[in-house]
Structure formats: C-alpha cells, structure tokens
Amino acid sequence: ELLYYRAGLQKQVVRKLRRGKFSIEAELDLHGMTVAIAKNALADFMKNCVLRQLRCVRIIHGKGLGSKNKEPVIKNKLNKWLQQRDDVLAFCSARPIDGGTGAIYLLLKTN
C-alpha cells in the first residue's frame, strides 16, 4: 500500500483522501506500459492537471502481475516520481472499488 503526504498537510485531509472522499477529476491508466512510456505519459498528464487546476486525480499503475518477476515495477517508480514533484500534496492507494493497491488517489496543489 502506498501512502505519502507533505509535512504540514492536515491529517484530516489525508484521512479524507484515503477514504476516497474527494471527487476524481481525471484519470490516467499506466498499467501495461513500459517504464519509459509511463514516465512520459505521467509528465504529460501532470502538465495537463496543473493547467486545468485539478485537485484530485486517480492513477492506475497495476499490481505488477504481468511483469517479469510479478512485482509492481510502475507502482514503485510512480512512488518515487511523485514524491519529487512540488505540485503533489499527497497520494495513497485507492479503495478496492477504485483499484485498490493497483491505483492511487493523488491530491495536487492548486493556485
């Protein structure tokens, strides 16, 4: 399960995100992609989210069941990529109905 949030973000906001209480304003499906293609798709998606000033999105990364070692390659890369971005406030694994540990809810900074 993934969970990340910036220092200073209210615990109540994180709790609300984990419970799926924010409206999902856009979605990106990365599963089945190579790491290089997924990285480019994520960069394009994030640029679009910032331009549209979206607050909460879902990213489907898959569980790694189709990878060579049956391990979540994209999920692990996504965890690192998103933590390096200034526009990311928090992210966590989605509720089972929204993809569970194969997807995340992502909370973005808005101006």
Side-chain angles (χ1 to χ4, degrees):
E1 193 170 319
L2 294 180
L3 176 62
Y4 167 82
Y5 53 92
R6 290 217 179 271
L9 191 65
Q10 294 177 348
K11 298 279 188 225
Q12 186 176 354
V13 173
V14 175
R15 191 175 307 120
K16 187 175 173 183
L17 182 67
R18 293 186 79 187
R19 291 179 178 166
K21 299 294 184 185
F22 286 96
S23 292
I24 304 297
E25 298 171 305
E27 181 176 283
L28 174 65
D29 189 346
L30 299 174
H31 83 287
M33 295 183 182
T34 64
V35 170
I37 292 172
K39 188 172 188 176
N40 287 333
L42 177 66
D44 291 344
F45 179 73
M46 295 296 288
K47 188 184 307 179
N48 189 297
C49 289
V50 169
L51 286 173
R52 293 174 53 201
Q53 296 206 10
L54 302 182
R55 175 104 168 121
C56 186
V57 298
R58 179 172 52 178
I59 299 177
I60 302 165
H61 49 69
K63 296 182 180 181
L65 302 178
S67 69
K68 190 164 70 170
N69 296 328
K70 304 283 186 226
E71 292 181 13
V73 177
I74 299 294
K75 177 180 182 176
N76 294 335
K77 293 287 187 181
L78 186 64
N79 186 27
K80 290 178 183 160
W81 295 335
L82 291 176
Q83 288 187 40
Q84 296 170 356
R85 296 187 60 101
D86 290 335
D87 49 8
V88 171
L89 290 176
F91 59 86
C92 64
S93 293
R95 294 179 313 143
I97 195 167
D98 288 329
T101 58
I104 62 165
Y105 301 131
L106 173 61
L107 193 62
L108 298 166
K109 276 186 198 174
T110 55
N111 294 338

